[in-house]
């Protein structure tokens, strides 16, 4: 297990504008973590810093279990599929990771997300929801310790969103740590055990999900919850 | 007009057409084998001098065929460094010259195509732990249908040029005579109808090849998205 993940005084600055930081955070194994915040709050940047796609301007990202490498994976808002079959997209990811028995592991992952019967279909002609399920299968095929999900359902209709959420719950139950960003409060409630609330690049609140929605501790979070759920 | 049927009857026209296609298609295959990976590597890689290399490659797209022909001629002439190969005035020399001519075209155009696609793929591939040449070749393979246009640009250039093959081939009847050199010869001999006929055949062949490539690309894109 590579967790916990320790972020220390992390910041990310572009052209003098601070997009994230300073953030100090410890992400533990176990219950799922939801990174919540308005558009532009820095959710995606924070996810990419944790995943290692972006190098911090200052501060450190440290995995306690040593080199994280293939032990963590990420699913993006817009999945990028290779121009080959659904199955080949998953075997590709396994093969570059040096897995010997890529084919059977890939089929397993496709079954997990309910895409086994579409295995031979070219990935790029699948629907948006199917492509996102395929992206989940590809990320999960290596059974990572941590799975980062950056607004995975932002472009999907409610039906496809429900399917994605069911898969994420199954991964969670199987022991993979879920770290997911979203601006959808309903989704945060359904999937999150704890909430990290970002505002203008900083973590202003971190609390168990129920508590966060019932009685947010900070004014910013309260305004966000109220604005997003005016009927509550 | 009397010579035109003559050339057809003896099958010489088809011999010339066949040699044209053989030389230019071989040059495209060789230039693609080197140029596509080169273009992809420059698109994905980050190294000092990269921008200068891109400018140079783009500039070399305008390489004059006669300059390439002269250079290859000097290389292959008996006193030249590759003179011992005995390639001068053979189809092999023509293939070499055309390969050099279109290599920059294929490398520069594929560099641009891969770089445009890289914007879409970069995060995903880096997330999967794919770097360097593996990433470059992955993107190259993924945009393979778009690259058909790149190959056609190279083929068009090779099939249309006359300067390089004239110099290194010598336009020897039955050995190194191709469509363009035959056309130039007939024009200078004053047989304009035959020259025009050859021109029409040349254009028709290029048209057919492009139509075939277009159909392949359309079908593939419908299938793979």
């Amino acid at each position: 297990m590579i967790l916990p993940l320790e972020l220390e005084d992390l910041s990310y600055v572009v052209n003098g504008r601070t997009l994230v930081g300073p953030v100090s955070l410890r992400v533990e194994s176990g219950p799922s973590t939801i990174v919540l915040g308005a558009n532009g709050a820095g959710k995606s940047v924070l996810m990419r810093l944790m995943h290692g796609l972006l190098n911090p301007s200052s501060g450190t990202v440290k995995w306690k279990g040593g080199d994280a490498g293939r032990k963590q994976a990420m699913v993006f808002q817009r999945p990028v599929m290779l121009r080959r079959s659904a199955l080949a997209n998953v075997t590709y990811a396994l093969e570059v990771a040096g897995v010997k028995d890529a084919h059977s592991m890939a089929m397993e992952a496709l079954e997990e997300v309910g895409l086994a019967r579409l295995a031979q279909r070219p990935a790029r002609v699948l629907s948006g929801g199917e492509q996102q399920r395929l992206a989940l299968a590809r990320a999960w095929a290596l059974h990572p310790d941590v799975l980062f999900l950056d607004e995975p359902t932002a472009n999907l209709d409610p039906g496809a969103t429900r399917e994605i959420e069911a898969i994420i719950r199954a991964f969670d139950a199987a022991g993979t740590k879920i770290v997911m960003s979203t601006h959808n409060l309903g989704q945060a409630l359904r999937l999150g055990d704890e909430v990290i609330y970002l505002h203008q690049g900083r973590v202003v609140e971190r609390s168990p999900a129920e508590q966060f929605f019932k009685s947010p501790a900070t004014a910013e979070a309260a305004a966000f919850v109220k604005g997003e759920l005016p009927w509550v | 007009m009397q010579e035109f049927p003559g050339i057809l009857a003896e099958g010489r026209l088809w011999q010339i057409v066949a040699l044209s296609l053989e030389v230019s298609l071989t040059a495209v295959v060789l230039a693609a084998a080197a140029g596509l990976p080169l273009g992809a590597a420059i698109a994905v890689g980050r190294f000092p001098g990269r921008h200068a290399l891109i400018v140079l490659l783009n500039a070399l797209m305008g390489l004059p065929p006669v300059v390439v022909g002269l250079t290859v001629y000097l290389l292959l002439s008996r006193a030249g460094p590759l003179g011992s190969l005995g390639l001068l005035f053979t189809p092999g020399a023509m293939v070499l010259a055309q390969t050099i001519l279109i290599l920059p075209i294929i490398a520069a155009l594929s560099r641009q195509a891969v770089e445009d696609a890289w914007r879409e793929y970069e995060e995903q591939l880096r997330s999967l732990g794919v770097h360097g040449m593996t990433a470059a070749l992955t993107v190259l393979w993924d945009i393979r249908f778009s690259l058909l246009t790149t190959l056609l640009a190279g083929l068009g250039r090779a099939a249309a040029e006359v300067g390089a093959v004239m110099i290194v081939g010598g336009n020897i009847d039955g050995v190194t005579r191709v469509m363009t050199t035959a056309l130039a010869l007939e024009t200078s001999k004053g047989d304009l109808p035959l020259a025009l006929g050859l021109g029409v055949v040349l254009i028709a062949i290029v048209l057919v090849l492009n139509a075939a490539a277009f159909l392949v690309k359309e079908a593939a894109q419908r299938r793979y998205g």
Side-chain angles (χ1 to χ4, degrees), chain B residues 33-51:
Chain B
L36 293 177
L38 177 66
I42 296 170
V44 169
R46 294 292 176 268
F47 48 89
R50 177 174 175 269
H51 288 136

Side-chain angles (χ1 to χ4, degrees), chain B residues 188-203:
Chain B
S188 60
K189 275 164 58 183
D191 195 342
L192 298 183
L194 180 52
L196 266 175
L198 284 168
V200 169
V201 173
L202 180 59
I203 290 169

Side-chain angles (χ1 to χ4, degrees), chain B residues 2 14 20 26 32 34 46 52 55 64 89-90 92 109 112-113 127 166 168 189 200 214 217:
Chain B
Q2 279 161 348
W14 301 117
S20 284
T26 309
R46 294 292 176 268
V55 171
F89 303 130
T90 68
L109 294 181
Q112 186 66 58
S127 174
M166 183 73 94
V168 303
K189 275 164 58 183
V200 169
F214 181 80
K217 188 180 164 196

Side-chain angles (χ1 to χ4, degrees), chain B residues 94-150:
Chain B
M94 297 153 75
V95 169
L96 177 63
Q98 290 199 340
T99 302
I100 292 171
L101 186 70
I102 63 178
L103 178 64
I105 295 176
I106 289 179
L109 294 181
S110 62
R111 196 274 309 161
Q112 186 66 58
V114 170
E115 196 167 312
D116 292 343
W118 183 235
R119 265 170 234 146
E120 183 193 348
Y121 289 81
E122 183 179 4
E123 272 199 334
Q124 183 69 65
L125 290 183
R126 282 182 53 210
S127 174
L128 293 174
V130 183
H131 302 280
M133 210 55 209
T134 313
L137 294 178
T138 297
V139 177
L140 198 61
W141 178 246
D142 229 55
I143 62 168
R144 55 198 179 274
F145 307 123
S146 313
L147 289 174
L148 268 179
T149 311
T150 300

